[in-house]
Amino acid sequence: MSRFLMIFCGLLTIGCGQPVTQSPGSEKIDSLQTGIVKAHRECNSIYFWKTTFDPTKTELDFLQKYDVQRLYIRFFDVALDNSWLEEKLTVVPIATTVFAQTPPAGLEIVPTVYITLEALRSVKGKEAEYADKITTRILAMATRHKISNISEVQFDCDWTGTTQESYFELCRIAKDTLYRRGVGLSATIRLHQLRKDPPPVDRGVLMLYNTGALKSADTENSILNYSDIEFYLKNAVYPLHLDFAYPTFSWGVWFRDNKFRAILRTINFSDKTYYQSLKKGTYKVVKDHYLESHELLRGDIIRLENSRYVEILKTQCRVEKELGGDNYSVILYHLDSANLSKYTPDEIMYIYNR
């Protein structure tokens, strides 16, 4: 743990949004070299979690200013959806990231794939098939977009006890395939997964956000609340190297009659024509209107949630003391100038504590 923190503590197709038909085995993967997997190094890191990779100048400047050396980019999701080949729900890649820019030279890029729980259940018994599809698609996208500085791929999945066997098998096969390309495999780890066996990957990233009950109208802040993590960290021991990811984002949580309706990316509810400010960061809709394709009705409630700096530091102090070891990376979620601008440069530096 850093000196500053100690002081404070005291699959089917390739392409970018459009299907590209290829015959099996025809993908030319030449941007990655075979060989030994590189050693994982400690460095400032950040996620990029949008469907178009087109960072602004402000966001690119952020990477330089804070010496960010590793960028986790969501490449695509694996989900149950209507296949363009079959008239039924099947496991397919969706929400593929479009690369309007090539990632900056010199950054280590970690392609990240989110696997939904529904997709994972459908993969059971076909883990080898889908591990091959996922890894082939990742590497083909890297080649197509000239992304060569890859030494790690990451799987992101909220697996449970009933899907653990299938997920672990998927990881084992994917890891073997990636190793032959000189690429390692990591996985995100949720707090509730700390009490379970670790997946068969090289390392994990402990997600220290989305810790509360999002859909409960009684929740104050589901993004990060220190009281939510205490139970999981009590006497925590995890037999896998962990890096730590902290939130730097905000969102609105929309309710009607105390029932969850949707997450809103809009975070400005200051317009008194449509919203009345209530206590504890909640807003009441006072006039019917549309927002982000949703019809909001008078009387609806929006809970504005933020990643509060003090909560981040309290969490960081506890988790890195319990699970940090000698070397670990701090990762922010995610690269978005509108959200990152809510923190001062000193606050960002302190979170990274390098």
Side-chain angles (χ1 to χ4, degrees):
M1 185 165 56
S2 74
R3 175 170 59 87
F4 298 105
L5 190 57
M6 292 174 67
I7 292 172
F8 177 84
C9 293
L11 288 55
L12 291 173
T13 58
I14 68 167
C16 291
Q18 297 180 348
V20 178
T21 304
Q22 286 189 309
S23 59
S26 67
E27 298 88 345
K28 183 182 179 184
I29 304 170
D30 56 9
S31 66
L32 300 170
Q33 300 298 319
T34 58
I36 299 173
V37 176
K38 294 180 181 178
H40 185 69
R41 58 194 177 90
E42 174 188 355
C43 65
N44 293 351
S45 308
I46 197 166
Y47 280 97
F48 186 93
W49 210 263
K50 301 177 185 178
T51 53
T52 299
F53 185 81
D54 192 19
T56 65
K57 182 180 185 302
T58 299
E59 290 162 353
L60 293 173
D61 288 346
F62 179 95
L63 300 177
Q64 289 193 335
K65 181 175 182 177
Y66 298 103
D67 192 28
V68 175
Q69 298 177 40
R70 182 178 296 126
L71 183 61
Y72 294 79
I73 302 178
R74 189 198 64 82
F75 268 35
F76 56 89
D77 298 346
V78 178
L80 273 181
D81 203 354
N82 290 308
S83 170
W84 63 285
L85 294 175
E86 304 177 54
E87 294 182 357
K88 64 178 182 180
L89 287 176
T90 188
V91 177
V92 294
I94 66 169
T96 299
T97 293
V98 174
F99 283 86
Q101 297 183 40
T102 300
L107 277 182
E108 178 188 345
I109 304 301
V110 181
T112 303
V113 174
Y114 174 64
I115 304 169
T116 70
L117 199 53
E118 294 76 18
L120 183 58
R121 293 191 183 103
S122 297
V123 162
K124 186 174 177 61
K126 299 175 285 186
E127 292 87 358
E129 174 189 348
Y130 282 96
D132 178 68
K133 288 181 177 181
I134 291 170
T135 55
T136 296
R137 194 167 198 269
I138 291 169
L139 299 176
M141 284 181 64
T143 295
R144 179 168 185 169
H145 300 292
K146 298 178 173 60
I147 305 171
S148 59
N149 193 16
I150 295 174
S151 58
E152 175 185 333
V153 162
Q154 184 170 102
F155 284 178
D156 177 23
C157 183
D158 191 10
W159 55 272
T160 62
T162 58
T163 53
Q164 174 177 316
E165 181 180 355
S166 186
Y167 181 64
F168 282 21
E169 183 66 9
L170 186 75
C171 288
R172 270 191 290 269
I173 297 169
K175 180 181 174 182
D176 287 345
T177 300
L178 291 168
Y179 263 44
R180 292 194 290 271
R181 305 294 307 188
V183 177
L185 180 65
S186 65
T188 56
I189 306 296
R190 270 72 172 174
L191 285 167
H192 72 85
Q193 295 166 345
L194 280 176
R195 307 276 178 180
K196 299 180 174 66
D197 291 335
V201 296
D202 297 298
R203 64 197 64 89
V205 171
L206 184 60
M207 293 172 50
L208 293 153
Y209 48 92
N210 299 346
T211 61
L214 170 72
K215 297 182 179 182
S216 172
D218 297 326
T219 298
E220 180 181 340
N221 191 334
S222 69
I223 294 177
L224 178 61
N225 190 319
Y226 179 73
S227 62
D228 291 333
I229 73 164
E230 288 186 290
F231 168 77
Y232 297 103
L233 295 180
K234 186 177 181 179
N235 300 319
V237 177
Y238 202 66
L240 184 69
H241 173 88
L242 289 174
D243 294 324
F244 303 104
Y246 300 98
T248 52
F249 65 92
S250 304
W251 60 27
V253 187
W254 167 37
F255 293 90
R256 178 174 297 159
D257 298 327
N258 283 331
K259 294 182 180 178
F260 171 81
R261 300 286 293 188
I263 292 174
L264 303 173
R265 302 301 170 185
T266 299
I267 56 176
N268 186 346
F269 302 102
S270 60
D271 189 341
K272 294 182 180 180
T273 303
Y274 297 103
Y275 310 106
Q276 176 188 350
S277 178
L278 304 176
K279 62 179 181 179
K280 293 186 177 179
T282 57
Y283 296 83
K284 183 178 180 179
V285 177
V286 295
K287 184 179 180 179
D288 297 358
H289 66 286
Y290 282 89
L291 181 67
E292 300 175 13
S293 300
H294 301 298
E295 184 181 16
L296 275 61
L297 302 181
R298 183 179 178 184
D300 289 355
I301 298 296
I302 299 170
R303 183 177 70 221
L304 178 60
E305 298 186 350
N306 296 291
S307 306
R308 294 189 290 265
Y309 176 63
V310 171
E311 291 294 300
I312 295 171
L313 292 190
K314 285 170 63 179
T315 300
Q316 187 175 29
C317 179
R318 177 69 183 275
V319 73
E320 294 176 18
K321 177 182 178 182
E322 298 289 343
L323 295 166
D326 295 328
N327 297 290
Y328 53 84
S329 294
V330 170
I331 311 168
L332 300 185
Y333 182 92
H334 64 115
L335 186 60
D336 178 87
S337 57
N339 282 304
L340 290 168
S341 66
K342 298 180 182 298
Y343 304 90
T344 68
D346 285 345
E347 287 173 341
I348 294 294
M349 289 292 291
Y350 203 92
I351 295 171
Y352 274 136
N353 57 77
R354 297 291 172 240

